[in-house]
Amino acid sequence: MRLFDRRLYLIFTPSLCTADPWQTLDAALGAGVDLVQWRCKEKDRAGFERVRETCRRFGVPLIVNDDVMLAVRGRAAGAHIGQEDMPADAARKVLVERCLGVSTHVPAQIASARAAGADYVGFGPCYPTTTKGYQVGKTPLEIEAAVTAAHLAKLPLFAIGGITVAQLPGLRAQGIDRIAVCSAILQSEDPAKATAALRRWL
Ligand code: TZP
Ligand code: MG
C-alpha cells in the first residue's frame, strides 16, 4: 500500500490517553489524523476491532504495532515493527501486499528497511520524549541525513519522538513533511485542536 499522501500519523496507545481513548481517537480523526497505529501492549481484541471500525468510518488506514499476525488475521492495512522485532524481510513475507512500516534510528537503517520491503519508515526519536523514555533526540544534521536517505530509498519518512507543534517550523525547514505522534494528541486537553494545529504545518 502506498502511503505517500499520509502526513499525520497517530500512534494510538489507549493507556497514554488523558481523557477517554475513544473520544480522543474520534476527535483526532475528525481533525485531520490520516494514518493510525494500534499500539497496545496487552492483547485486546475488542479494542482492536473498535479501532478498526473507527478508522473504517473515517476512511483512514490502520497499522498494527508489533503483531504482524494480528494485522493479517484482523485485515488491517498493515503492521509496524521496530529494529528489535521480527526481521523486516520476514514480516514482508507474512504481510504479502499489506503495508510494512519499520522504525529506524540511524540513516543507514532506512536503506536496509527499503531492501527488506518496507513501505515507509519512522525515524527518531527526533526529540527527547518520556513516552518511550528517550532522553536524547537527533541533531538537525542527523534529521537531514535521514531525509536524504528516505528520498534516495523513495520511502515516506515519518519523524517521531517528542514532536509538538513548537518543533514543526524547524522540522519543516529540515525537509520533514510527515510526523507521527502520541502525547501531542493523546495527552492534549483538546485533541481536536491539537490535531488541527499540527495539521496546519503538513
Ligand atoms: N517510537 C519512537 S519515539 C516514540 C515511539 C513510539 C514515542 C512517540 O511518542 P511522543 O509522545 O509523540 O514522543
Ligand atoms: Mg515494536
Side-chain angles (χ1 to χ4, degrees):
M1 174 188 271
R2 311 299 281 174
L3 293 176
F4 281 93
D5 55 343
R6 306 286 146 175
R7 305 269 161 196
L8 181 51
Y9 192 0
L10 176 63
I11 313 299
F12 179 56
T13 314
S15 61
L16 292 176
C17 293
T18 302
D20 175 73
W22 303 106
Q23 283 180 9
T24 304
L25 181 62
D26 258 46
L29 283 163
V33 159
D34 57 10
L35 186 62
V36 170
Q37 183 181 123
W38 173 241
R39 180 171 176 265
C40 181
K41 298 297 172 186
E42 305 86 50
K43 292 243 174 291
D44 178 3
R45 185 69 196 208
F48 167 74
E49 278 168 18
R50 188 164 177 181
V51 73
R52 187 181 60 182
E53 188 43 44
T54 306
C55 287
R56 190 171 291 159
R57 186 155 45 85
F58 282 92
V60 165
L62 174 65
I63 306 292
V64 177
N65 181 263
D66 286 352
D67 193 341
V68 176
M69 290 315 299
L70 176 63
V72 174
R73 291 202 189 108
R75 301 185 312 282
H80 184 96
I81 55 171
Q83 296 290 324
E84 268 82 54
D85 297 323
M86 172 193 268
D89 51 357
R92 174 76 280 156
K93 290 196 181 95
V94 176
L95 289 166
V96 192
E97 293 296 309
R98 291 179 205 279
C99 177
L100 171 62
V102 177
S103 292
T104 63
H105 311 290
V106 292
Q109 290 170 345
I110 295 171
S112 305
R114 167 73 181 182
D119 296 293
Y120 75 88
V121 291
F123 179 77
C126 290
Y127 301 95
T129 173
T130 53
T131 303
K132 251 190 134 175
Y134 291 120
Q135 280 161 17
V136 183
K138 303 292 175 202
T139 65
L141 278 179
E142 286 172 314
I143 293 173
E144 279 166 31
V147 169
T148 302
H151 182 74
L152 289 172
K154 299 191 175 64
L155 283 183
L157 177 148
F158 292 85
I160 188 167
I163 296 177
T164 67
V165 75
Q167 278 100 26
L168 264 297
L171 283 172
R172 288 306 315 245
Q174 288 160 68
I176 295 290
D177 54 5
R178 297 178 181 84
I179 59 167
V181 299
C182 290
S183 54
I185 292 176
L186 302 181
Q187 290 169 9
S188 164
E189 277 181 18
D190 186 338
K193 202 169 154 190
T195 303
L198 293 169
R199 188 76 228 194
R200 271 196 284 278
W201 287 95
L202 302 166

PDB file of all heavy atoms in Angstrom, residues 56-93:
ATOM      1  N   ARG A  56     -12.222   2.758   9.791  1.00  0.00           N
ATOM      2  CA  ARG A  56     -13.002   2.498   8.574  1.00  0.00           C
ATOM      3  C   ARG A  56     -14.041   3.618   8.374  1.00  0.00           C
ATOM      4  O   ARG A  56     -14.230   4.106   7.270  1.00  0.00           O
ATOM      5  CB  ARG A  56     -13.697   1.138   8.720  1.00  0.00           C
ATOM      6  CG  ARG A  56     -14.344   0.654   7.447  1.00  0.00           C
ATOM      7  CD  ARG A  56     -14.808  -0.780   7.583  1.00  0.00           C
ATOM      8  NE  ARG A  56     -13.697  -1.714   7.667  1.00  0.00           N
ATOM      9  CZ  ARG A  56     -13.764  -2.939   8.182  1.00  0.00           C
ATOM     10  NH1 ARG A  56     -14.898  -3.391   8.684  1.00  0.00           N
ATOM     11  NH2 ARG A  56     -12.703  -3.724   8.216  1.00  0.00           N
ATOM     12  N   ARG A  57     -14.662   4.012   9.471  1.00  0.00           N
ATOM     13  CA  ARG A  57     -15.671   5.086   9.402  1.00  0.00           C
ATOM     14  C   ARG A  57     -15.074   6.381   8.849  1.00  0.00           C
ATOM     15  O   ARG A  57     -15.729   7.125   8.138  1.00  0.00           O
ATOM     16  CB  ARG A  57     -16.236   5.279  10.818  1.00  0.00           C
ATOM     17  CG  ARG A  57     -17.384   6.235  10.953  1.00  0.00           C
ATOM     18  CD  ARG A  57     -18.247   5.925  12.182  1.00  0.00           C
ATOM     19  NE  ARG A  57     -17.538   5.636  13.412  1.00  0.00           N
ATOM     20  CZ  ARG A  57     -17.088   6.535  14.279  1.00  0.00           C
ATOM     21  NH1 ARG A  57     -17.249   7.813  14.030  1.00  0.00           N
ATOM     22  NH2 ARG A  57     -16.471   6.170  15.391  1.00  0.00           N
ATOM     23  N   PHE A  58     -13.813   6.637   9.184  1.00  0.00           N
ATOM     24  CA  PHE A  58     -13.169   7.873   8.714  1.00  0.00           C
ATOM     25  C   PHE A  58     -12.372   7.657   7.421  1.00  0.00           C
ATOM     26  O   PHE A  58     -11.750   8.587   6.910  1.00  0.00           O
ATOM     27  CB  PHE A  58     -12.226   8.413   9.798  1.00  0.00           C
ATOM     28  CG  PHE A  58     -12.952   9.120  10.918  1.00  0.00           C
ATOM     29  CD1 PHE A  58     -13.351   8.417  12.048  1.00  0.00           C
ATOM     30  CD2 PHE A  58     -13.245  10.470  10.836  1.00  0.00           C
ATOM     31  CE1 PHE A  58     -14.014   9.057  13.092  1.00  0.00           C
ATOM     32  CE2 PHE A  58     -13.907  11.119  11.876  1.00  0.00           C
ATOM     33  CZ  PHE A  58     -14.293  10.414  13.010  1.00  0.00           C
ATOM     34  N   GLY A  59     -12.344   6.427   6.920  1.00  0.00           N
ATOM     35  CA  GLY A  59     -11.591   6.147   5.693  1.00  0.00           C
ATOM     36  C   GLY A  59     -10.093   6.277   5.860  1.00  0.00           C
ATOM     37  O   GLY A  59      -9.369   6.671   4.941  1.00  0.00           O
ATOM     38  N   VAL A  60      -9.607   5.938   7.065  1.00  0.00           N
ATOM     39  CA  VAL A  60      -8.176   6.090   7.375  1.00  0.00           C
ATOM     40  C   VAL A  60      -7.543   4.715   7.594  1.00  0.00           C
ATOM     41  O   VAL A  60      -8.103   3.884   8.324  1.00  0.00           O
ATOM     42  CB  VAL A  60      -8.019   6.983   8.641  1.00  0.00           C
ATOM     43  CG1 VAL A  60      -6.630   6.892   9.222  1.00  0.00           C
ATOM     44  CG2 VAL A  60      -8.353   8.425   8.293  1.00  0.00           C
ATOM     45  N   PRO A  61      -6.394   4.435   6.982  1.00  0.00           N
ATOM     46  CA  PRO A  61      -5.764   3.110   7.147  1.00  0.00           C
ATOM     47  C   PRO A  61      -5.309   2.867   8.593  1.00  0.00           C
ATOM     48  O   PRO A  61      -4.867   3.795   9.280  1.00  0.00           O
ATOM     49  CB  PRO A  61      -4.545   3.160   6.221  1.00  0.00           C
ATOM     50  CG  PRO A  61      -4.762   4.304   5.316  1.00  0.00           C
ATOM     51  CD  PRO A  61      -5.642   5.286   6.042  1.00  0.00           C
ATOM     52  N   LEU A  62      -5.398   1.605   9.000  1.00  0.00           N
ATOM     53  CA  LEU A  62      -4.976   1.197  10.346  1.00  0.00           C
ATOM     54  C   LEU A  62      -3.775   0.256  10.246  1.00  0.00           C
ATOM     55  O   LEU A  62      -3.808  -0.753   9.539  1.00  0.00           O
ATOM     56  CB  LEU A  62      -6.125   0.466  11.055  1.00  0.00           C
ATOM     57  CG  LEU A  62      -5.763  -0.135  12.415  1.00  0.00           C
ATOM     58  CD1 LEU A  62      -5.409   0.959  13.418  1.00  0.00           C
ATOM     59  CD2 LEU A  62      -6.920  -0.985  12.946  1.00  0.00           C
ATOM     60  N   ILE A  63      -2.736   0.601  10.992  1.00  0.00           N
ATOM     61  CA  ILE A  63      -1.499  -0.186  11.055  1.00  0.00           C
ATOM     62  C   ILE A  63      -1.401  -0.773  12.469  1.00  0.00           C
ATOM     63  O   ILE A  63      -1.682  -0.073  13.444  1.00  0.00           O
ATOM     64  CB  ILE A  63      -0.276   0.730  10.797  1.00  0.00           C
ATOM     65  CG1 ILE A  63      -0.424   1.523   9.481  1.00  0.00           C
ATOM     66  CG2 ILE A  63       1.028  -0.060  10.838  1.00  0.00           C
ATOM     67  CD1 ILE A  63      -0.364   0.723   8.225  1.00  0.00           C
ATOM     68  N   VAL A  64      -0.972  -2.034  12.574  1.00  0.00           N
ATOM     69  CA  VAL A  64      -0.837  -2.684  13.887  1.00  0.00           C
ATOM     70  C   VAL A  64       0.627  -2.664  14.310  1.00  0.00           C
ATOM     71  O   VAL A  64       1.506  -3.067  13.549  1.00  0.00           O
ATOM     72  CB  VAL A  64      -1.326  -4.149  13.822  1.00  0.00           C
ATOM     73  CG1 VAL A  64      -1.117  -4.854  15.158  1.00  0.00           C
ATOM     74  CG2 VAL A  64      -2.795  -4.204  13.423  1.00  0.00           C
ATOM     75  N   ASN A  65       0.874  -2.221  15.540  1.00  0.00           N
ATOM     76  CA  ASN A  65       2.237  -2.227  16.074  1.00  0.00           C
ATOM     77  C   ASN A  65       2.635  -3.637  16.484  1.00  0.00           C
ATOM     78  O   ASN A  65       1.868  -4.329  17.186  1.00  0.00           O
ATOM     79  CB  ASN A  65       2.300  -1.284  17.292  1.00  0.00           C
ATOM     80  CG  ASN A  65       3.690  -1.207  17.884  1.00  0.00           C
ATOM     81  OD1 ASN A  65       4.001  -1.884  18.842  1.00  0.00           O
ATOM     82  ND2 ASN A  65       4.526  -0.399  17.298  1.00  0.00           N
ATOM     83  N   ASP A  66       3.811  -4.069  16.084  1.00  0.00           N
ATOM     84  CA  ASP A  66       4.439  -5.340  16.504  1.00  0.00           C
ATOM     85  C   ASP A  66       3.778  -6.623  15.987  1.00  0.00           C
ATOM     86  O   ASP A  66       4.473  -7.516  15.538  1.00  0.00           O
ATOM     87  CB  ASP A  66       4.491  -5.481  18.044  1.00  0.00           C
ATOM     88  CG  ASP A  66       5.535  -4.581  18.662  1.00  0.00           C
ATOM     89  OD1 ASP A  66       6.320  -3.976  17.908  1.00  0.00           O
ATOM     90  OD2 ASP A  66       5.543  -4.466  19.902  1.00  0.00           O
ATOM     91  N   ASP A  67       2.464  -6.726  16.124  1.00  0.00           N
ATOM     92  CA  ASP A  67       1.791  -8.014  15.906  1.00  0.00           C
ATOM     93  C   ASP A  67       1.401  -8.183  14.430  1.00  0.00           C
ATOM     94  O   ASP A  67       0.283  -7.849  14.005  1.00  0.00           O
ATOM     95  CB  ASP A  67       0.553  -8.083  16.817  1.00  0.00           C
ATOM     96  CG  ASP A  67      -0.025  -9.485  16.915  1.00  0.00           C
ATOM     97  OD1 ASP A  67       0.277 -10.316  16.036  1.00  0.00           O
ATOM     98  OD2 ASP A  67      -0.776  -9.735  17.868  1.00  0.00           O
ATOM     99  N   VAL A  68       2.352  -8.735  13.691  1.00  0.00           N
ATOM    100  CA  VAL A  68       2.174  -8.878  12.241  1.00  0.00           C
ATOM    101  C   VAL A  68       1.018  -9.833  11.928  1.00  0.00           C
ATOM    102  O   VAL A  68       0.231  -9.606  10.995  1.00  0.00           O
ATOM    103  CB  VAL A  68       3.505  -9.371  11.617  1.00  0.00           C
ATOM    104  CG1 VAL A  68       3.372  -9.625  10.130  1.00  0.00           C
ATOM    105  CG2 VAL A  68       4.609  -8.347  11.872  1.00  0.00           C
ATOM    106  N   MET A  69       0.886 -10.875  12.742  1.00  0.00           N
ATOM    107  CA  MET A  69      -0.198 -11.837  12.507  1.00  0.00           C
ATOM    108  C   MET A  69      -1.566 -11.192  12.743  1.00  0.00           C
ATOM    109  O   MET A  69      -2.522 -11.475  12.023  1.00  0.00           O
ATOM    110  CB  MET A  69      -0.049 -13.070  13.415  1.00  0.00           C
ATOM    111  CG  MET A  69       1.113 -13.972  13.055  1.00  0.00           C
ATOM    112  SD  MET A  69       1.268 -14.315  11.279  1.00  0.00           S
ATOM    113  CE  MET A  69      -0.281 -15.119  10.951  1.00  0.00           C
ATOM    114  N   LEU A  70      -1.655 -10.336  13.768  1.00  0.00           N
ATOM    115  CA  LEU A  70      -2.931  -9.646  14.009  1.00  0.00           C
ATOM    116  C   LEU A  70      -3.286  -8.762  12.814  1.00  0.00           C
ATOM    117  O   LEU A  70      -4.452  -8.675  12.414  1.00  0.00           O
ATOM    118  CB  LEU A  70      -2.859  -8.804  15.295  1.00  0.00           C
ATOM    119  CG  LEU A  70      -4.102  -7.960  15.605  1.00  0.00           C
ATOM    120  CD1 LEU A  70      -5.337  -8.844  15.834  1.00  0.00           C
ATOM    121  CD2 LEU A  70      -3.873  -7.069  16.829  1.00  0.00           C
ATOM    122  N   ALA A  71      -2.272  -8.123  12.244  1.00  0.00           N
ATOM    123  CA  ALA A  71      -2.524  -7.275  11.071  1.00  0.00           C
ATOM    124  C   ALA A  71      -3.144  -8.084   9.937  1.00  0.00           C
ATOM    125  O   ALA A  71      -4.067  -7.626   9.258  1.00  0.00           O
ATOM    126  CB  ALA A  71      -1.224  -6.620  10.609  1.00  0.00           C
ATOM    127  N   VAL A  72      -2.647  -9.316   9.745  1.00  0.00           N
ATOM    128  CA  VAL A  72      -3.155 -10.147   8.646  1.00  0.00           C
ATOM    129  C   VAL A  72      -4.522 -10.708   9.011  1.00  0.00           C
ATOM    130  O   VAL A  72      -5.498 -10.528   8.268  1.00  0.00           O
ATOM    131  CB  VAL A  72      -2.158 -11.295   8.342  1.00  0.00           C
ATOM    132  CG1 VAL A  72      -2.728 -12.251   7.297  1.00  0.00           C
ATOM    133  CG2 VAL A  72      -0.829 -10.707   7.870  1.00  0.00           C
ATOM    134  N   ARG A  73      -4.595 -11.365  10.172  1.00  0.00           N
ATOM    135  CA  ARG A  73      -5.864 -12.006  10.559  1.00  0.00           C
ATOM    136  C   ARG A  73      -6.964 -10.973  10.775  1.00  0.00           C
ATOM    137  O   ARG A  73      -8.129 -11.242  10.517  1.00  0.00           O
ATOM    138  CB  ARG A  73      -5.676 -12.808  11.851  1.00  0.00           C
ATOM    139  CG  ARG A  73      -4.797 -14.029  11.656  1.00  0.00           C
ATOM    140  CD  ARG A  73      -5.067 -15.069  12.749  1.00  0.00           C
ATOM    141  NE  ARG A  73      -4.086 -16.131  12.673  1.00  0.00           N
ATOM    142  CZ  ARG A  73      -3.097 -16.309  13.568  1.00  0.00           C
ATOM    143  NH1 ARG A  73      -3.005 -15.522  14.625  1.00  0.00           N
ATOM    144  NH2 ARG A  73      -2.241 -17.289  13.424  1.00  0.00           N
ATOM    145  N   GLY A  74      -6.576  -9.804  11.278  1.00  0.00           N
ATOM    146  CA  GLY A  74      -7.569  -8.769  11.558  1.00  0.00           C
ATOM    147  C   GLY A  74      -7.836  -7.847  10.372  1.00  0.00           C
ATOM    148  O   GLY A  74      -8.534  -6.862  10.519  1.00  0.00           O
ATOM    149  N   ARG A  75      -7.239  -8.170   9.214  1.00  0.00           N
ATOM    150  CA  ARG A  75      -7.463  -7.405   7.983  1.00  0.00           C
ATOM    151  C   ARG A  75      -7.197  -5.906   8.188  1.00  0.00           C
ATOM    152  O   ARG A  75      -7.976  -5.046   7.754  1.00  0.00           O
ATOM    153  CB  ARG A  75      -8.879  -7.648   7.439  1.00  0.00           C
ATOM    154  CG  ARG A  75      -9.149  -9.121   7.122  1.00  0.00           C
ATOM    155  CD  ARG A  75     -10.498  -9.366   6.484  1.00  0.00           C
ATOM    156  NE  ARG A  75     -11.602  -8.709   7.155  1.00  0.00           N
ATOM    157  CZ  ARG A  75     -12.184  -9.136   8.293  1.00  0.00           C
ATOM    158  NH1 ARG A  75     -11.755 -10.251   8.870  1.00  0.00           N
ATOM    159  NH2 ARG A  75     -13.183  -8.470   8.824  1.00  0.00           N
ATOM    160  N   ALA A  76      -6.093  -5.607   8.857  1.00  0.00           N
ATOM    161  CA  ALA A  76      -5.651  -4.205   8.962  1.00  0.00           C
ATOM    162  C   ALA A  76      -4.911  -3.830   7.685  1.00  0.00           C
ATOM    163  O   ALA A  76      -4.599  -4.693   6.857  1.00  0.00           O
ATOM    164  CB  ALA A  76      -4.740  -4.051  10.173  1.00  0.00           C
ATOM    165  N   ALA A  77      -4.608  -2.546   7.528  1.00  0.00           N
ATOM    166  CA  ALA A  77      -3.875  -2.117   6.330  1.00  0.00           C
ATOM    167  C   ALA A  77      -2.428  -2.583   6.356  1.00  0.00           C
ATOM    168  O   ALA A  77      -1.798  -2.718   5.306  1.00  0.00           O
ATOM    169  CB  ALA A  77      -3.932  -0.598   6.211  1.00  0.00           C
ATOM    170  N   GLY A  78      -1.893  -2.813   7.575  1.00  0.00           N
ATOM    171  CA  GLY A  78      -0.505  -3.246   7.642  1.00  0.00           C
ATOM    172  C   GLY A  78      -0.002  -3.349   9.066  1.00  0.00           C
ATOM    173  O   GLY A  78      -0.782  -3.286  10.023  1.00  0.00           O
ATOM    174  N   ALA A  79       1.318  -3.504   9.193  1.00  0.00           N
ATOM    175  CA  ALA A  79       1.951  -3.648  10.509  1.00  0.00           C
ATOM    176  C   ALA A  79       3.192  -2.768  10.563  1.00  0.00           C
ATOM    177  O   ALA A  79       3.794  -2.442   9.531  1.00  0.00           O
ATOM    178  CB  ALA A  79       2.334  -5.106  10.763  1.00  0.00           C
ATOM    179  N   HIS A  80       3.560  -2.428  11.805  1.00  0.00           N
ATOM    180  CA  HIS A  80       4.766  -1.626  12.034  1.00  0.00           C
ATOM    181  C   HIS A  80       5.675  -2.375  12.999  1.00  0.00           C
ATOM    182  O   HIS A  80       5.231  -2.811  14.063  1.00  0.00           O
ATOM    183  CB  HIS A  80       4.403  -0.261  12.628  1.00  0.00           C
ATOM    184  CG  HIS A  80       5.602   0.612  12.783  1.00  0.00           C
ATOM    185  ND1 HIS A  80       5.960   1.550  11.845  1.00  0.00           N
ATOM    186  CD2 HIS A  80       6.570   0.640  13.728  1.00  0.00           C
ATOM    187  CE1 HIS A  80       7.082   2.137  12.228  1.00  0.00           C
ATOM    188  NE2 HIS A  80       7.480   1.594  13.375  1.00  0.00           N
ATOM    189  N   ILE A  81       6.944  -2.496  12.647  1.00  0.00           N
ATOM    190  CA  ILE A  81       7.878  -3.219  13.506  1.00  0.00           C
ATOM    191  C   ILE A  81       9.103  -2.357  13.813  1.00  0.00           C
ATOM    192  O   ILE A  81       9.475  -1.467  13.049  1.00  0.00           O
ATOM    193  CB  ILE A  81       8.338  -4.554  12.869  1.00  0.00           C
ATOM    194  CG1 ILE A  81       8.938  -4.321  11.489  1.00  0.00           C
ATOM    195  CG2 ILE A  81       7.184  -5.555  12.806  1.00  0.00           C
ATOM    196  CD1 ILE A  81       9.607  -5.542  10.911  1.00  0.00           C
ATOM    197  N   GLY A  82       9.728  -2.678  14.961  1.00  0.00           N
ATOM    198  CA  GLY A  82      10.945  -1.991  15.358  1.00  0.00           C
ATOM    199  C   GLY A  82      12.163  -2.823  15.005  1.00  0.00           C
ATOM    200  O   GLY A  82      12.044  -3.949  14.510  1.00  0.00           O
ATOM    201  N   GLN A  83      13.330  -2.276  15.300  1.00  0.00           N
ATOM    202  CA  GLN A  83      14.582  -2.973  14.985  1.00  0.00           C
ATOM    203  C   GLN A  83      14.740  -4.251  15.816  1.00  0.00           C
ATOM    204  O   GLN A  83      15.472  -5.150  15.429  1.00  0.00           O
ATOM    205  CB  GLN A  83      15.781  -2.046  15.213  1.00  0.00           C
ATOM    206  CG  GLN A  83      15.808  -0.831  14.294  1.00  0.00           C
ATOM    207  CD  GLN A  83      16.117  -1.188  12.841  1.00  0.00           C
ATOM    208  OE1 GLN A  83      16.901  -2.083  12.565  1.00  0.00           O
ATOM    209  NE2 GLN A  83      15.491  -0.482  11.911  1.00  0.00           N
ATOM    210  N   GLU A  84      14.055  -4.309  16.964  1.00  0.00           N
ATOM    211  CA  GLU A  84      14.191  -5.494  17.832  1.00  0.00           C
ATOM    212  C   GLU A  84      13.065  -6.497  17.625  1.00  0.00           C
ATOM    213  O   GLU A  84      12.996  -7.508  18.317  1.00  0.00           O
ATOM    214  CB  GLU A  84      14.207  -5.078  19.305  1.00  0.00           C
ATOM    215  CG  GLU A  84      15.609  -4.833  19.851  1.00  0.00           C
ATOM    216  CD  GLU A  84      16.118  -3.450  19.503  1.00  0.00           C
ATOM    217  OE1 GLU A  84      15.418  -2.477  19.819  1.00  0.00           O
ATOM    218  OE2 GLU A  84      17.189  -3.351  18.875  1.00  0.00           O
ATOM    219  N   ASP A  85      12.155  -6.223  16.714  1.00  0.00           N
ATOM    220  CA  ASP A  85      11.019  -7.129  16.489  1.00  0.00           C
ATOM    221  C   ASP A  85      11.386  -8.151  15.413  1.00  0.00           C
ATOM    222  O   ASP A  85      12.553  -8.310  15.065  1.00  0.00           O
ATOM    223  CB  ASP A  85       9.791  -6.307  16.090  1.00  0.00           C
ATOM    224  CG  ASP A  85       9.358  -5.369  17.213  1.00  0.00           C
ATOM    225  OD1 ASP A  85       9.461  -5.770  18.387  1.00  0.00           O
ATOM    226  OD2 ASP A  85       8.934  -4.240  16.913  1.00  0.00           O
ATOM    227  N   MET A  86      10.377  -8.804  14.889  1.00  0.00           N
ATOM    228  CA  MET A  86      10.573  -9.752  13.785  1.00  0.00           C
ATOM    229  C   MET A  86      11.380  -9.064  12.668  1.00  0.00           C
ATOM    230  O   MET A  86      11.135  -7.889  12.378  1.00  0.00           O
ATOM    231  CB  MET A  86       9.180 -10.132  13.259  1.00  0.00           C
ATOM    232  CG  MET A  86       9.159 -10.939  12.010  1.00  0.00           C
ATOM    233  SD  MET A  86       7.477 -11.001  11.309  1.00  0.00           S
ATOM    234  CE  MET A  86       6.869 -12.458  12.049  1.00  0.00           C
ATOM    235  N   PRO A  87      12.335  -9.764  12.033  1.00  0.00           N
ATOM    236  CA  PRO A  87      13.082  -9.111  10.940  1.00  0.00           C
ATOM    237  C   PRO A  87      12.135  -8.609   9.841  1.00  0.00           C
ATOM    238  O   PRO A  87      11.125  -9.253   9.542  1.00  0.00           O
ATOM    239  CB  PRO A  87      13.984 -10.230  10.400  1.00  0.00           C
ATOM    240  CG  PRO A  87      14.065 -11.227  11.506  1.00  0.00           C
ATOM    241  CD  PRO A  87      12.782 -11.133  12.281  1.00  0.00           C
ATOM    242  N   ALA A  88      12.484  -7.469   9.277  1.00  0.00           N
ATOM    243  CA  ALA A  88      11.580  -6.841   8.315  1.00  0.00           C
ATOM    244  C   ALA A  88      11.321  -7.730   7.091  1.00  0.00           C
ATOM    245  O   ALA A  88      10.204  -7.757   6.576  1.00  0.00           O
ATOM    246  CB  ALA A  88      12.150  -5.489   7.885  1.00  0.00           C
ATOM    247  N   ASP A  89      12.330  -8.474   6.636  1.00  0.00           N
ATOM    248  CA  ASP A  89      12.077  -9.297   5.436  1.00  0.00           C
ATOM    249  C   ASP A  89      11.102 -10.441   5.745  1.00  0.00           C
ATOM    250  O   ASP A  89      10.285 -10.824   4.904  1.00  0.00           O
ATOM    251  CB  ASP A  89      13.372  -9.798   4.788  1.00  0.00           C
ATOM    252  CG  ASP A  89      14.312 -10.469   5.769  1.00  0.00           C
ATOM    253  OD1 ASP A  89      14.020 -10.511   6.987  1.00  0.00           O
ATOM    254  OD2 ASP A  89      15.359 -10.967   5.312  1.00  0.00           O
ATOM    255  N   ALA A  90      11.150 -10.952   6.990  1.00  0.00           N
ATOM    256  CA  ALA A  90      10.189 -11.992   7.386  1.00  0.00           C
ATOM    257  C   ALA A  90       8.785 -11.386   7.500  1.00  0.00           C
ATOM    258  O   ALA A  90       7.793 -11.990   7.054  1.00  0.00           O
ATOM    259  CB  ALA A  90      10.604 -12.611   8.721  1.00  0.00           C
ATOM    260  N   ALA A  91       8.698 -10.192   8.065  1.00  0.00           N
ATOM    261  CA  ALA A  91       7.398  -9.516   8.176  1.00  0.00           C
ATOM    262  C   ALA A  91       6.825  -9.251   6.785  1.00  0.00           C
ATOM    263  O   ALA A  91       5.627  -9.414   6.545  1.00  0.00           O
ATOM    264  CB  ALA A  91       7.550  -8.208   8.945  1.00  0.00           C
ATOM    265  N   ARG A  92       7.699  -8.856   5.867  1.00  0.00           N
ATOM    266  CA  ARG A  92       7.250  -8.602   4.481  1.00  0.00           C
ATOM    267  C   ARG A  92       6.568  -9.834   3.886  1.00  0.00           C
ATOM    268  O   ARG A  92       5.519  -9.750   3.242  1.00  0.00           O
ATOM    269  CB  ARG A  92       8.460  -8.199   3.640  1.00  0.00           C
ATOM    270  CG  ARG A  92       8.261  -8.029   2.165  1.00  0.00           C
ATOM    271  CD  ARG A  92       7.556  -6.722   1.822  1.00  0.00           C
ATOM    272  NE  ARG A  92       6.131  -6.821   2.021  1.00  0.00           N
ATOM    273  CZ  ARG A  92       5.331  -5.783   2.255  1.00  0.00           C
ATOM    274  NH1 ARG A  92       5.778  -4.556   2.320  1.00  0.00           N
ATOM    275  NH2 ARG A  92       4.036  -5.944   2.417  1.00  0.00           N
ATOM    276  N   LYS A  93       7.175 -11.023   4.138  1.00  0.00           N
ATOM    277  CA  LYS A  93       6.614 -12.257   3.575  1.00  0.00           C
ATOM    278  C   LYS A  93       5.247 -12.561   4.184  1.00  0.00           C
ATOM    279  O   LYS A  93       4.343 -13.011   3.495  1.00  0.00           O
ATOM    280  CB  LYS A  93       7.562 -13.428   3.842  1.00  0.00           C
ATOM    281  CG  LYS A  93       8.836 -13.345   3.021  1.00  0.00           C
ATOM    282  CD  LYS A  93       9.571 -14.680   2.983  1.00  0.00           C
ATOM    283  CE  LYS A  93      10.846 -14.563   2.167  1.00  0.00           C
ATOM    284  NZ  LYS A  93      12.039 -14.291   2.973  1.00  0.00           N
TER     285      LYS A  93
END
